[in-house]
Amino acid sequence: REKQQKKKVEIIWVARFIKWKHPEVVIKLAKELRKENVEFKIKMLGTGKLIEKIKREVTKNDLSGQIEIVGQVPSSKVKDYMEEADIFIGTSDSQEGWGVVVNEAMNAGCAIVANRRMGSVPILIKDGENGYTYDKYPELKEKVEYLIKNAEARSKLGKNAYLYITQKWTSTIAANNLIKLFESILYG
């Protein structure tokens, strides 16, 4: 999937606004990128008990030009937002289960930068090939900034993410792998 090249790179964050999803990291990232005069737009999709606090932080830090709190979006529309975005950021910590948003972002051809502790990330993301992973915040900022400034890298990661999720991680392949696992357990 080729993404349209836009003047402002669009970043998407999709999660519940709760503590272990770390929406505050998005505020920190936006403040630091703006300070360095980097052009970008972040859309935050979701709802939760921290949404009002995050909205106040956006206002307090004068980030409305950089961050749009979209709020709750029907799951059928999330894909449309992802397909418009260039970069997906996943900031959840190890309390995340699988984290299906990573699959969805890969399917939408987003360049991904996600916390290595998010459920599906160590399985789906091959760091530097079909996305980026990070351990600590400085790594997140560095990788997002690099992708904002490097359209070729964004395109390559997004394309590789799409190909991986559509060709190597399909339900048919998963079912066949499960059958192989059961057979190997059964037959030693």
Side-chain angles (χ1 to χ4, degrees):
R1 298 198 166 196
E2 274 308 311
K3 296 279 184 177
Q4 295 280 344
Q5 294 301 319
K6 304 179 275 297
K7 181 168 172 25
K8 271 190 190 178
V9 171
E10 192 172 297
I11 301 166
I12 192 164
W13 180 91
V14 181
R16 285 176 290 147
F17 284 78
I18 57 177
K19 193 171 174 51
W20 55 269
K21 301 276 189 174
H22 299 287
E24 76 284 354
V25 170
V26 179
I27 302 291
K28 182 177 183 178
L29 179 66
K31 282 170 36 179
E32 291 185 15
L33 290 174
R34 183 181 65 188
K35 197 185 296 181
E36 295 177 21
N37 295 314
V38 176
E39 288 282 318
F40 66 96
K41 176 79 174 176
I42 299 174
K43 290 186 178 178
M44 297 181 79
L45 278 62
T47 189
K49 58 184 171 187
L50 295 178
I51 194 167
E52 292 307 319
K53 181 182 181 195
I54 296 298
K55 283 179 179 176
R56 286 192 301 275
E57 287 293 312
V58 167
T59 302
K60 183 177 114 184
N61 291 286
D62 194 28
L63 290 168
S64 58
Q66 288 78 30
I67 297 177
E68 178 187 346
I69 309 278
V70 178
Q72 190 163 7
V73 172
S75 54
S76 60
K77 296 281 183 224
V78 171
K79 189 171 196 264
D80 297 337
Y81 279 94
M82 284 186 170
E83 286 180 346
E84 282 183 29
D86 302 293
I87 300 168
F88 168 84
I89 53 175
T91 57
S92 298
D93 62 30
S94 59
Q95 294 181 64
E96 181 72 64
W98 177 255
V100 77
V101 291
V102 176
N103 297 64
E104 293 168 341
M106 292 175 86
N107 196 292
C110 291
I112 293 168
V113 183
N115 189 324
R116 192 171 279 126
R117 292 181 302 279
M118 269 179 87
S120 61
V121 169
I123 295 159
L124 296 178
I125 302 297
K126 311 295 174 229
D127 198 42
E129 289 177 37
N130 64 358
Y132 286 135
T133 63
Y134 73 92
D135 279 317
K136 300 212 177 328
Y137 172 79
E139 218 181 333
L140 166 70
K141 181 188 171 274
E142 175 189 315
K143 289 175 175 181
V144 169
E145 188 170 0
Y146 171 75
L147 286 172
I148 289 171
K149 293 176 177 178
N150 192 325
E152 197 175 306
R154 272 195 322 270
S155 178
K156 176 186 161 235
L157 287 183
K159 203 175 295 179
N160 289 347
Y162 175 77
L163 291 172
Y164 184 81
I165 209 70
T166 58
Q167 294 176 5
K168 300 228 182 345
W169 199 263
T170 65
S171 56
T172 304
I173 291 169
N176 285 334
N177 288 342
L178 192 57
I179 290 168
K180 284 179 192 167
L181 171 66
F182 291 152
E183 285 173 344
S184 69
I185 291 169
L186 252 172
Y187 304 115

